Amino acid sequence: MSDPQQGHENQQPAYGQNQQPSYGQQAPAPTYGQQPHGQQPYGQQTTPPPGYVQQPYGQQPYSAYPPQPGTNVLAIVAIISAFFIPIAGIICGHIARKQIRETGEQGDGLALTGLILGYVFTAIIVAIIIIYIVFFVVLLGTVGMSGAYYT
């Protein structure tokens, strides 16, 4: 029998058998002469500098900004309820600021504004109630002192 490899010396190598040097390996020296001043022959690959990392295909070298955490819901509730129910604005504002410090969410300005508005509107309501009470006490005292009785 004859050898199956005999007479096939001029054929190309089988798939997967590469005659080119792989990345980082030195190619055999060219037979046509030396390169001047230590230059690499054309087409010869060199090793990358230390610390160089080549990105694989399909990946971007820089990532987008990380997603920002959302706004705290209680901060939004605090600023809205400060106009209608100031006590609820104060309570929600304090709870929201505590949650924002712990979780890193956004909305600290909203919570602080809800707190300030809640305290201001609460002070205005308390002042109105005090003025109302004083007005009627003075009115009833004046009517009582006048001696005018309606029977």
Side-chain angles (χ1 to χ4, degrees), residues 48-112:
Y52 174 78
V53 177
Q54 185 177 4
Q55 295 291 331
Y57 291 110
Q59 290 185 355
Q60 297 177 355
Y62 300 105
S63 62
Y65 291 108
Q68 295 293 326
T71 304
N72 189 296
V73 175
L74 278 179
I76 297 170
V77 170
I79 195 166
I80 292 172
S81 64
F83 290 103
F84 304 108
I85 309 168
I87 299 297
I90 293 170
I91 293 169
C92 290
H94 280 293
I95 294 172
R97 291 197 74 197
K98 181 181 177 190
Q99 287 179 354
I100 289 169
R101 280 193 304 267
E102 291 173 356
T103 62
E105 291 178 308
Q106 295 179 348
D108 190 50
L110 292 174
L112 184 61

Side-chain angles (χ1 to χ4, degrees), residues 18 39 41 70 98 103 121 124 138:
N18 191 0
Q39 294 178 355
K98 181 181 177 190
T103 62
F121 288 141
I124 290 172
V138 170

Side-chain angles (χ1 to χ4, degrees), residues 33-52:
Q34 297 291 334
Q35 296 293 326
H37 305 291
Q39 294 178 355
Q40 298 290 334
Y42 178 75
Q44 182 178 357
Q45 295 177 349
T46 60
T47 57
Y52 174 78

